[in-house]
Amino acid sequence: MKYSEHKTKLLPPVTKPNYVVFTDFDETYLAHENKECHQNEQKELEEYLLNNTHEKQIIFGWVTGSSITSVFSKMSKYELRLLPHFIASSLGTELIYFNEKHYGEKDETWESHLKKSGFSDKLVNNLVNILKLDGINLTPQPQIADSHFLKNYYYYQQNKQLDRQAILKIKFLAKNAGIKVNISQCNPLVGDPQNCYDVDFIPSGTGKKHIVDFILRQTNVNSQNSIAFGESGNDIEMLQAVGHGYLVGNATSEAKKLHSQIEDNEYTKGILSVLKRLIK
């Protein structure tokens, strides 16, 4: 697949990585409010990355629930001008590299792993139909054509007891079906409806945590030199898989209940603050 190079800059190459930095995209790296302060702070982080990735041998990437098409659309809309070394899109079910030799190329090993997983639309549809018979209704989200290994739904909240039972049932059936499900509180700031959960079905052995494990193996970087940033419940596994996992200051209340390491500053200001403290 080819991706538009809309005035984007590539990060300097890294040959012997010392650090790997993983960050969620929507509402962590990208502030959808897009105030002037957010734009300025984003540029400061971009300058830091341009000036330090080669010198300090930092691999930097986005790990996001958005599809690659959606990421590039937002980059154009919000005038983001710096591409990371990799983008793990569609909740880590796609891994794509961006450098001079491999611009927009998928990782073949990761792709092969996905294809062997047994994940299919039919498998997910059967699971959703079984849930419906139990009175648990999942509403399909608009599916993006390039997200072949991710099926998104909304579960609309009812009350605490019913919601808890529904979530346990969804997780139980997914596990029995041999697939993974990620369930987290929706964030209206990124266009989600109020009072509902994201229910994301993906192949077993994939997702944000597994992307971290895979990239660290590929780069041979010690986990203590890995850093991650997020803002919602679906980032928690990733934050717990690295040596230093931080919620940015604008994280959801759900996420803050699940993870204690919270940076005071928001968005890219928070990311930059932590990187300056940890990377010497």
Side-chain angles (χ1 to χ4, degrees):
M1 181 181 290
K2 301 295 182 183
Y3 304 104
S4 171
E5 300 182 45
H6 57 279
K7 299 180 183 178
T8 53
K9 292 181 180 179
L10 295 175
L11 283 172
V14 174
T15 54
K16 296 181 179 180
N18 293 322
Y19 301 91
V20 182
V21 178
F22 307 86
T23 177
D24 176 50
F25 185 65
D26 294 287
E27 287 300 295
T28 300
Y29 187 95
L30 174 65
H32 283 247
E33 278 187 300
N34 200 34
K35 293 179 180 178
E36 186 176 353
C37 64
H38 298 138
Q39 295 172 30
N40 292 336
E41 289 159 4
Q42 170 207 309
K43 289 174 183 175
E44 287 181 29
L45 176 58
E46 289 178 342
E47 285 302 312
Y48 172 88
L49 292 170
L50 285 169
N51 293 332
N52 288 276
T53 50
H54 177 71
E55 178 188 347
K56 297 178 180 179
Q57 293 290 285
I58 305 166
I59 297 286
F60 182 82
W62 297 334
V63 187
T64 174
S66 294
S67 71
I68 193 67
T69 299
S70 177
V71 169
F72 268 78
S73 175
K74 291 166 187 172
M75 287 186 70
S76 178
K77 177 180 178 181
Y78 294 97
E79 299 184 347
L80 304 185
R81 296 300 178 222
L82 185 64
L83 271 167
H85 292 112
F86 67 88
I87 300 177
S89 55
S90 297
L91 211 58
T93 59
E94 295 177 321
L95 178 55
I96 303 168
Y97 298 111
F98 294 93
N99 56 59
E100 291 179 355
K101 292 183 179 179
H102 306 286
Y103 187 95
E105 290 186 15
K106 292 185 177 182
D107 187 289
E108 293 181 1
T109 303
W110 190 250
E111 190 76 3
S112 175
H113 167 61
L114 292 167
K115 289 177 179 177
K116 292 176 182 176
S117 68
F119 185 88
S120 68
D121 287 355
K122 182 179 179 180
L123 188 62
V124 176
N125 290 339
N126 287 342
L127 192 153
V128 170
N129 288 333
I130 292 170
L131 289 167
K132 189 173 182 179
L133 292 174
D134 281 346
I136 300 169
N137 295 305
L138 300 182
T139 303
Q141 297 185 29
Q143 302 296 317
I144 304 297
D146 58 10
S147 297
H148 302 299
F149 296 98
L150 170 64
K151 295 281 284 183
N152 309 93
Y153 294 83
Y154 290 126
Y155 169 77
Y156 286 85
Q157 294 171 244
Q158 300 179 68
N159 60 58
K160 286 186 178 181
Q161 183 177 353
L162 288 176
D163 295 346
R164 183 165 52 250
Q165 291 173 350
I167 289 170
L168 288 173
K169 184 72 172 182
I170 295 166
K171 289 181 176 179
F172 173 79
L173 290 177
K175 185 177 181 179
N176 280 357
I179 60 178
K180 184 175 179 179
V181 63
N182 187 82
I183 304 174
S184 60
Q185 188 81 41
C186 286
N187 188 348
L189 290 176
V190 299
D192 287 333
Q194 296 273 1
N195 302 318
C196 68
Y197 287 94
D198 271 317
V199 180
D200 306 314
F201 295 103
I202 57 177
S204 180
T206 61
K208 294 190 174 188
K209 174 191 180 300
H210 292 281
I211 282 289
V212 168
D213 295 339
F214 181 79
I215 292 288
L216 291 182
R217 287 197 304 271
Q218 295 294 95
T219 57
N220 200 31
V221 171
N222 187 292
S223 65
Q224 285 306 306
N225 283 352
S226 61
I227 308 166
F229 302 91
E231 54 75 41
S232 70
N234 73 8
D235 297 314
I236 301 303
E237 281 192 352
M238 176 174 72
L239 302 186
Q240 294 175 346
V242 297
H244 308 276
Y246 287 84
L247 288 168
V248 287
N250 56 287
T252 65
S253 57
E254 176 202 27
K256 289 178 178 179
K257 292 175 184 176
L258 298 171
H259 191 75
S260 60
Q261 199 154 8
I262 304 167
E263 163 61 27
D264 290 337
N265 294 301
E266 300 181 346
Y267 301 106
T268 50
K269 185 174 182 179
I271 295 171
L272 181 56
S273 178
V274 171
L275 295 184
K276 285 182 174 179
R277 288 202 306 269
L278 294 181
I279 297 179
K280 303 300 182 182

